[in-house]
Amino acid sequence: VDRVVFRVIRETRGEGIVGDEGLNREARKLLLVKLNERFKEKVTFHNRSLSLENHILLQARRIQAYLLGYEADYKPYIEK
């Protein structure tokens, strides 16, 4: 999420993003579009090429299995 926020700031050069009450409406829409695009991008982890959104879901399931004792170890997804 942080990378997407920084990319939006860099692309717009920070102009017209923040109003008196935080992010303006157009900036929120742009940020949501960029976040959705990022979640749909394919990434490879554990030799599986899936969307980032699916990897996040699998990470939640892996954490659950680890905490319940079904898995001996847990390897988190770390983007480089």
Side-chain angles (χ1 to χ4, degrees), residues 6-52:
F6 290 129
R7 189 180 314 148
V8 167
I9 291 171
R10 188 173 50 245
E11 287 175 2
T12 61
R13 299 177 190 207
E15 297 172 7
I17 290 181
V18 179
D20 293 336
E21 299 176 9
L23 291 177
N24 62 33
R25 187 175 194 82
E26 292 79 26
R28 286 193 301 268
K29 285 182 184 180
L30 177 61
L31 189 57
L32 287 174
V33 167
K34 296 293 184 178
L35 281 170
N36 282 328
E37 288 173 3
R38 176 65 181 127
F39 288 144
K40 300 296 180 194
E41 287 179 15
K42 298 279 184 176
V43 294
T44 302
F45 181 65
H46 281 294
N47 296 322
R48 295 177 73 180
S49 181
L50 299 170
S51 67
L52 184 59

Side-chain angles (χ1 to χ4, degrees), residues 2 5 24 34-35 38 43 59 61 64-65 69 73 78:
D2 294 346
V5 172
N24 62 33
K34 296 293 184 178
L35 281 170
R38 176 65 181 127
V43 294
Q59 284 293 296
R61 290 182 178 164
Q64 175 190 17
D73 63 341
I78 299 173

Side-chain angles (χ1 to χ4, degrees), residues 53-64:
E53 145 182 83
N54 285 337
H55 276 298
I56 291 170
L57 176 64
L58 289 174
Q59 284 293 296
R61 290 182 178 164
R62 286 185 184 117
I63 289 171
Q64 175 190 17

